[in-house]
Amino acid sequence: MASNYLAKGLKRSALTVALGLCFVGGVQAQTNTAGAVVGRAVAGDTITVTNPSTGFSRTITVDATGSYRFSQLPTGQYQVSRNGGSPRTANVNVGGAANVDFVSADATTLDAVTVIGSGAINPIDVSSVESTTILTAEQIAKIPVSRDTTSVALLAPGTVRGDSAFGNLASFGGSSVAENQYFFNGFNITNSFNNLNFAQIPFEAIAEQQTKTGGYGAEFGRSTGGVVNQISKRGSNDFKAGANVFWSPSSLNETPKNYYLNDGTLAADRSNNTVGTEMTASVWASGALVQDRLFAYGLVQYTDIGEGKAMSSSGGFSTVGTNKQPKWLLKMDWNINDNNILEFTGISDKRKYETDYYSTTYTDPLLGTNPRLNQYQGTAFDERGGETYIAKYTGYLSDSFTLTALAGTSKSSRSNYSVTADGTVNSYNGTVGVPANGCPVIVDARPSAVNGQVTEYAGCALDNFLGRPDAEDTRDQFRIDAEWQLGDHLLRGGVDIDNFKSVAGESYSGGVVWRYGNYANATGISGENSVVRKRVFQSGSTVAVDQTAFYLEDSWSITPNFIAYLGARWDTFDNMNGDGETFAKIKNQFAPRLGFSWDVNGDSSFKVYGNAGRYALPLTATVAVRGASKSLYSEEYFTYTGVDATTGAPTGTVRIPNLYNGREIRYLNNEFGVAKNAQTITDQGLKPMYQDEYILGFQKELTDNLSLGARLIRRDLKAAIDDQCDYRPIIDWALANGFTDDGGIFIEPQDKTQNSDIAVYNPGFAFCHLYNPGRDATFKMDINGDGTLEEVKLTADQLGPKAKRKYTAFEVFFESSWDRAFLQGSYTFAKSIGNTEGGVKSDIGQDDTGTTQDFDYPELTEGSYGYLPNDRRHSFKLFGSYDLTDTVTVGGNLIVQSGRPINCFGYHPVQRPGYQNGYFYCQGQLTPRGTSGRLPWTKKLDLNVAWTPAFADKHLTFKVDVFNVLNSQDPINVVEQGEDASANWQPNVWKSVNGYQAPRSVRFMVQYDF
């Protein structure tokens, strides 16, 4: 069915004519760690490529077609010569192919290529159809940009910054921030626990960053967003060493704006908020341990981020946080001989965070410079990162056959615990059923408090959720890739095995949330000071995702100027729960990739290209922690006579029975703290999340110093994975298939001797199931608790609408380079529309990757189709540098983007369980997604100046970067809840700003190298 659909899609595509030629072939000549040198010469000629800095040299014979290719070359600058003649220079970048022709396209004119000056742009890579932006360390150093992976990726066309709720992440081509993959030296550094993090490589060690926004070949998978591919620096015959210090003083940061309600009332005083002074020091050295054979590059980097102060709004806490990041990297290269290379990479990216909490009362003046005006409450401790080790072998086994093999392992911590002022340790050991230590979470949701009166029940918990002190993620990856030049065909293929394991779990602080409110509807007892709700939640397990992929690619040079492409990838995803049982397995998901590249003039100066492909995304490991493993979730109601002055917990409690058919219900689903039946979690015919993508573009060299390109992009989400929790169609199915309500539709205990007063106890019945929204589903479940699993077949109409997301974009981009300057830029017009963002939900900051609330109940999808959170209609980007003199360089970076859509969330007009003001309704009226206006445009101009004094022979550099020079603090987030938690319309709060751009800041650098 998948291939039939793609064929139909291609008939409608503008690529029809060219793709009709693609019965074999593939322009995806790129790899994820190296580059290539390709070209034409006379058959029988000998071509030699040499890297003077390492002594690496290879010589091959031009084949009968008049073509030659050096594959899998480590990045760097090479000399290319023909028959021992004068060499030409070729710069090899990651994933690219440098073209050096010694004859013209008609194969009769020798030495047809003119040597281009040092200031010229690189020739257009006519062997590639992907949408990619490559920036070297030298280019990044010249422009004012934050030294992190995401900030560099955001320079590429088609990328926008994701919602701040998920940290510093980018959205690629309308996809959510949880759909990207990140690689370093060929190893996958993505944290597959929830796909919302990746290894933080010491930035000074990065030689190149390749940002793939679309069209990438079958070698790359497990992504429906983008791919970021980084390559480390490496040693050479020349000994080099250096050190630098980056210093961002807190005192030079501008003050962030306060938050106000719509009537001008102060909502949050941020006048004392500060970002801590940040200092990063790096020391490095590189050189040859054995001339021309064994090389090393080593770096040690330490970052210390001082006290960052954040004042809360009404009630709650103020925080003072510090961050220490000791990092290191070692890269070794052993040229065993000219035909065999061995590489090793070791990385540490450990990061430690401490956050002090202080009680804050809104009525305090919060003036002066000391945020500790209030009482110290405790400190939270978090640890992230770990160590990664990668080994890679490259064998040039013949002139036309190259083999690479990679093996790597990584371990990364997610440790979390806190200590209150009195020494109480708030922690959770991950054992479901054993309460977490520490203070309980207190929520005052009484109407009087919600409507603006001072909260009386504050409590002493520092964080709502506690992770595990032993939480960590482990990855073992193995891959083999082969490349064979067979006449006009470049054949590539390989296998990629990626096994990921997570130790995970979380609990409410103190093991419980006490929520004070008016629960007359639930208990029949009126009055906001009469009833308190107790909610218990715990999860904890060791879960795993095993992934295996095979891919094949064939690049067919139909003519010297036209390359056709055919690629295919087969992915298998195996998700396992805390007992090591498979609960979701998708075998051999087929992902075809088609494309073409036409070198119009035959001299790499004008390329027309296109591609079409299917891209699949696996389930993340986090899905299994709660959804498929042991977890505990219950709700009970109590009357109370008092409140503990320290903890805020109720005293004198008496439980109010919550009855169903005369039996008490404490559990709302199948989370009883016991193992779940792995067969009952997913639809038996579950498909992976996948989308189809189509791109048509061109790139033209206008002069030796300027190239211009444009492309059209279309992405269409064909299947998503999410969970649904609607029990009503299951009840209908049960009644229609002989079960009776008094016989116990999912309400009889499996073991009546255990928890006999609890009616809902059936591990074989999962309330929430993973499925593909919009498809029929078959679930296995024990309907009546007799130990037998029934097959419950439900139609798509019963389950709810299809998941939809469509992205359409037009990009224009240019690249220019002269002897003293370079400038790049782009304009993107894009639309992203649908009823799901993807893996996460920016609307409410939900980071439950793969199990958002989007499709839990059909009512949540009402009005959900519209422009999505990552819909930024217009994006302008411009960056570059200019050498004012031989010693002074200036740089700039400008990003201007239109704002995202605004929603109005409120209560459903018909009472529905569990989601309160989470529906696309306000004041009882449907308010479709994105129809409540848009945020304003944002603009950010960064500038820098660098001085390399002549007296230090250009070994010494001073630089200052000013970020957000104009101090533009435009809104980037607003309150989208039109109704509060008690269903009251709140016009004074809705659309009030609760997030601005970061204010102006300054960064200084001093560097000495030799």
Side-chain angles (χ1 to χ4, degrees), residues 889-922:
T889 299
V890 296
N893 181 15
L894 174 67
I895 297 181
V896 180
Q897 291 182 325
S898 56
R900 64 187 256 185
I902 299 174
N903 301 304
C904 187
F905 292 109
Y907 274 71
H908 197 280
V910 179
Q911 181 67 34
R912 301 298 179 193
Y915 296 87
Q916 298 176 338
N917 55 345
Y919 299 88
F920 287 97
Y921 281 90
C922 280

Side-chain angles (χ1 to χ4, degrees), residues 466-542:
L466 295 173
R468 296 173 58 166
D470 64 340
E472 65 179 15
D473 304 303
T474 304
R475 164 172 271 117
D476 294 312
Q477 183 183 358
F478 311 91
R479 66 177 300 146
I480 296 176
D481 300 90
E483 184 173 312
W484 185 21
Q485 185 74 55
L486 184 63
D488 292 331
H489 297 273
L490 175 64
L491 305 175
R492 299 189 68 245
V495 58
D496 177 9
I497 300 171
D498 191 334
N499 297 330
F500 188 86
K501 183 173 68 175
S502 291
V503 177
E506 64 180 1
S507 170
Y508 290 130
S509 177
V512 61
V513 173
W514 292 103
R515 187 177 190 270
Y516 298 93
N518 190 338
Y519 296 105
N521 291 337
T523 66
I525 301 176
S526 300
E528 66 172 30
N529 296 308
S530 303
V531 178
V532 63
R533 187 188 71 190
K534 177 184 179 182
R535 176 181 288 174
V536 174
F537 168 69
Q538 293 178 333
S539 66
S541 56
T542 298

Side-chain angles (χ1 to χ4, degrees), residues 551-605:
Y551 78 94
L552 291 172
E553 296 178 349
D554 178 16
S555 300
W556 178 23
S557 297
I558 298 177
T559 72
N561 298 348
F562 192 91
I563 302 174
Y565 165 73
L566 175 64
R569 182 181 176 95
W570 294 266
D571 277 288
T572 294
F573 310 128
D574 188 355
N575 290 71
M576 288 164 281
N577 65 12
D579 294 320
E581 301 171 328
T582 294
F583 70 92
K585 187 168 186 176
I586 298 168
K587 296 182 178 179
N588 297 320
Q589 169 64 25
F590 179 56
R593 315 277 170 87
L594 304 172
F596 75 94
S597 178
W598 177 26
D599 184 3
V600 178
N601 298 326
D603 60 0
S604 301
S605 64

Side-chain angles (χ1 to χ4, degrees), residues 193-213:
F193 178 66
N194 57 12
N195 270 14
L196 293 175
N197 205 342
F198 48 88
Q200 303 297 298
I201 306 300
F203 201 79
E204 189 63 45
I206 297 173
E208 295 185 15
Q209 177 166 316
Q210 181 187 44
T211 303
K212 300 172 182 286
T213 55

Side-chain angles (χ1 to χ4, degrees), residues 96-175:
N99 192 81
V100 181
D101 288 338
F102 291 96
V103 297
S104 64
D106 61 10
T108 60
T109 306
L110 295 179
D111 297 323
V113 176
T114 302
V115 178
I116 298 173
S118 61
I121 58 173
N122 290 323
I124 295 170
D125 184 2
V126 295
S127 69
S128 173
V129 302
E130 65 183 13
S131 303
T132 185
T133 300
I134 300 176
L135 290 173
T136 65
E138 291 77 13
Q139 290 174 309
I140 295 170
K142 288 186 174 183
I143 58 178
V145 62
S146 296
R147 293 167 61 80
D148 63 76
T149 299
T150 296
S151 295
V152 176
L154 289 171
L155 299 174
T159 60
V160 299
R161 189 176 296 278
D163 192 279
S164 59
F166 311 118
N168 185 27
L169 294 171
S171 164
F172 290 71
S175 299

Side-chain angles (χ1 to χ4, degrees), residues 314-317 377 426 438-446 449-450 454-465 507-517 519 528 531-536 640 642-651 653:
S314 57
F317 291 111
Q377 297 294 311
N426 298 295
C439 293
V441 179
I442 305 300
V443 177
D444 192 349
R446 295 170 302 148
V450 171
V454 177
T455 302
E456 295 181 12
Y457 310 143
C460 59
L462 302 183
D463 291 315
N464 287 344
F465 284 97
S507 170
Y508 290 130
S509 177
V512 61
V513 173
W514 292 103
R515 187 177 190 270
Y516 298 93
Y519 296 105
E528 66 172 30
V531 178
V532 63
R533 187 188 71 190
K534 177 184 179 182
R535 176 181 288 174
V536 174
Y640 61 99
V643 176
D644 187 282
T646 300
T647 67
T651 59
T653 56

Side-chain angles (χ1 to χ4, degrees), residues 96 104 546 640 695 811 839-840 969:
S104 64
D546 288 352
Y640 61 99
I695 299 176
E811 298 175 0
V840 296
Q969 296 190 48

